[in-house]
Amino acid sequence: MSITHVIPLLIALAMVAVTSDAMADSSSIGVSLTSDRDQQNLGEPQSTQFEVSASHTFDTGVILGASAQYSNKAFSDSATANLEATVGYRLRFNDFLSVIGSVGIGDRLQVSGDGSDIAYYVLRAAADLKLSEKVTWNAVAFRYRDAFESSDDYLTPQLATGVTFKVDDHNSISSKIQYNWKDWHPDTVGFALGYSRSF
């Protein structure tokens, strides 16, 4: 993994950390584990992904985020790492409903196996519904992700839904189901578990 790829992520993470120290808004760090399965046969694994993320949310609703995701393709030596930085906004309609939109850029690095590094952009939109003080339904989340160079063939949209359970004021756990496309052709179904700590 080239240091030139790591530097932008480190800068983004530093921005999140510095901002969280300088402002009294809210910040969070999280980890998640996802198992992608064949969309026609859920018993057949396709890949496993581990992600570490950090974000800072201003009182205005603006969100800065950064993440690093490692993905290993099942039954092969192919592994990739996605480094990503985003900026977004959460609009709260009331105490129960909010929508989130974000834009970002990233770099998919070919860590092992065949393949090349891919620079990409990503757009996300989501809606959350607070069911109780403890439970939030992450009703719908859509991701549009594509390479800056169309020849890299990295059009990978995703539609997801899930639930977040607030353990206490600082800790929460979540689960999601994700439906993934490759060039708008059905690809995989992902099952994700996550943990987040806010401060």
Side-chain angles (χ1 to χ4, degrees):
M1 184 181 299
S2 171
I3 189 67
T4 59
H5 295 295
V6 177
I7 288 174
L9 179 68
L10 293 178
I11 292 172
L13 287 170
M15 286 174 58
V16 172
V18 169
T19 303
S20 63
D21 287 339
M23 305 292 289
D25 303 315
S26 66
S27 299
S28 67
I29 55 173
V31 296
S32 67
L33 183 67
T34 303
S35 175
D36 276 341
R37 324 292 289 186
D38 185 272
Q39 57 94 20
Q40 292 185 333
N41 179 9
L42 296 181
E44 184 176 335
Q46 295 295 303
S47 65
T48 301
Q49 300 154 10
F50 177 75
E51 181 175 298
V52 179
S53 60
S55 68
H56 179 80
T57 302
F58 295 91
D59 286 340
T60 58
V62 174
I63 305 168
L64 298 178
S67 64
Q69 181 190 78
Y70 177 83
S71 178
N72 181 248
K73 189 174 181 180
F75 313 116
S76 79
D77 66 348
S78 178
T80 58
N82 282 48
L83 308 180
E84 192 174 294
T86 60
V87 59
Y89 183 78
R90 179 185 291 271
L91 176 63
R92 297 185 184 276
F93 289 97
N94 50 46
D95 292 339
F96 306 101
L97 176 64
S98 63
V99 297
I100 310 100
S102 69
V103 298
I105 57 173
D107 204 354
R108 194 210 71 171
L109 311 176
Q110 192 70 39
V111 179
S112 64
D114 295 332
S116 58
D117 297 348
I118 297 173
Y120 65 87
Y121 64 93
V122 59
L123 310 172
R124 290 187 175 90
D128 290 344
L129 187 62
K130 187 175 180 180
L131 302 180
S132 70
E133 288 301 316
K134 293 285 189 180
V135 180
T136 297
W137 177 28
N138 310 118
V140 61
F142 179 73
R143 178 194 75 197
Y144 183 89
R145 184 175 65 184
D146 198 2
F148 287 108
E149 296 288 339
S150 59
S151 59
D152 284 332
D153 192 26
Y154 198 55
L155 177 57
T156 51
Q158 180 189 86
L159 186 65
T161 187
V163 176
T164 298
F165 178 76
K166 188 176 179 181
V167 178
D168 54 37
D169 288 343
H170 298 287
N171 301 284
S172 63
I173 55 176
S174 62
S175 63
K176 286 194 299 184
I177 299 176
Q178 308 162 339
Y179 193 90
N180 301 293
W181 287 268
K182 175 73 172 174
D183 296 325
W184 290 114
H185 298 296
D187 189 27
T188 61
V189 176
F191 298 90
L193 291 174
Y195 164 77
S196 178
R197 178 169 177 80
S198 61
F199 50 94

